[in-house]
Amino acid sequence: MEKQNLKIINFERPADFYFQSALKMIDNMNYLGALPMVRKALEKAPGNLDYMMKLAEILTELSKYEESNSVLFEIQMKAKDERSECFFGMGCNFIGLGDLDKAEESFEKYLTTSPDGEYREEVEEFLSLFCDIEEEEEYLLEDAYELKQQKLAEEGKRHLDNCEYQKAIEVLEKINTNDPDMLFAKNNLALSYYCMKKTEEAIRITQKVLERDPENIHANCNMAMFLSRKDHAAACRYVEKTERGQRNTQDDFYKIAITYCEIGEHERALKYLSNILATCPYDEKVLFCAGVASFNMKRYAESVNFFSDIIKLEPEESIASYYLKYVKDVMEGKKAHDELSYVFQVPPNEARNRIRYLNEKMKLPEEEFKQLWENDRKLKDILLWGLEYGDNFIKQTVVEIISGFGGEKAERVFRRYILKRSQPDEIKNEIFIALKRMHADEPYIAYFNGGIVEVKVGILDNVEENATKYFDKLFDLLVSVVSGEYSEQLAGKAVSLLQEFTERGAGNTYFPETKEFAAAIAFATLYLNGKTAEPRKIAALFNADVNRLSAIAMEIINTVGEKEEK
């Protein structure tokens, strides 16, 4: 029988197919299913504003408020005309994030751009509610001292959330220990000491809180964690006490659940985690803990489902991907069962493997390394993991690597990162510099110093309009030389010094001397950061006159020194 040649037809579906599929799922309230569909549509039609609006809407429904805002800000940057629905979406997201000031600002922008818009009634109701809340807050916080204490508590919590434990301690120690309304801040202070491995101090602070309020749920849970390694039975008694006193709020459920995770009571932990997921099914940290608890109880199929849901929410989440593969390997007998930790991070051996892989690839020729960034999923996953979960040294290294790649992909990663509340301002500062070097359009919308801000690098108060062209040229030269010869971190410090010196009205006259001024800033930065360098060496790097460099550098150092003395 004669063989026939079979033709295989490549059935490539268009972007609209995936978008329409997403809309059908949204109609059925299946937002988790709609998310990958609309993402697929955007892969086929990058930059489609309607698809992006729908993605933002889905992310809001999944309580992914920061991610939704990131998409909405991107739409505003791309759109030729302001899209008022973006402001409405941002307002809703800021409510979800607990930032009522920014929510109010967003809703007011909505009414300005679309006074008779589709969401006018909802916006007016929100604004009316905000007025009532503000009046109540003014009544409750009339005392300036009380307001200061509240702000200190918020600042300390922010440092704790960002794993800046020493900073958290320094701020929270300032809070009045006798104020019963500030006990929550003392609980955060105890946690900060515990994270610094100063357990005895953490216990001492918690005992004082319990003397004031024996039923305090967070203090009892903290004590359970602090005692768990020494006396597991006592730790369990402290948590059981909270179960009798808890008020059935999500906050109480979460604290009790995480405490049971920390002391290794997996079944009890999963009971509370399941209660939270019944009303908040898309919380990644809760899903992760539920996946770990299920695995530790050898309920592998449940564990797979929890980790899979995280990946549906965030396909680039390589930590969940690692554990999903690990669970499947155990199920298939490829690995032995070994209890997992509840820390949202890969194990140390896997972290070492990732760093080793990155170091190997960095040895490749520049163009080959850049091609890997574009085409190798593993490299991208490792870089995003390092940027999100590494220590500050790793984060700084990754910023330097990604900024070296440049391009739209790198810009998108950076713009999303600077909107994350959990990431440190120090790293975001370096990303602002990197974005400027990449000639990314300003402003850079970021969550910075406790709020959403618009950052414009190089726009200084005391720079006259006709001098901005000199400033931009100076900026590019300064950053490219210092980052190339030293580091991105030192380049960021050089830019900060340039801004400080110029904003004091002392730099304008030197702008035309671009090479000498840039060299002087570089020399002063090294000097003020305890690094020695020969003026001739710095002058050679910038092709500048060494005598002029020295004169300008001396003025910079004296000016900054005057400020520090005051």
Side-chain angles (χ1 to χ4, degrees), residues 202-204 206-207 210 218-228 235 238:
I203 289 173
R204 184 189 68 78
T206 306
Q207 285 172 336
L210 290 173
H218 283 231
N220 279 290
C221 285
N222 282 352
M223 190 65 86
M225 285 194 294
F226 303 158
L227 295 176
S228 61
Y238 272 104

Side-chain angles (χ1 to χ4, degrees), residues 104-138:
E104 183 175 12
E105 182 183 318
S106 299
F107 287 141
E108 286 173 348
K109 285 182 179 178
Y110 175 83
L111 288 181
T112 301
T113 56
S114 187
D116 297 315
E118 179 183 356
Y119 306 108
R120 181 175 61 84
E121 290 185 7
E122 292 97 318
V123 166
E124 288 176 345
E125 286 179 15
F126 277 129
L127 291 174
S128 176
L129 180 62
F130 292 157
C131 287
D132 294 340
I133 292 172
E134 285 169 5
E135 287 177 7
E136 186 176 342
E137 285 180 345
E138 285 175 10

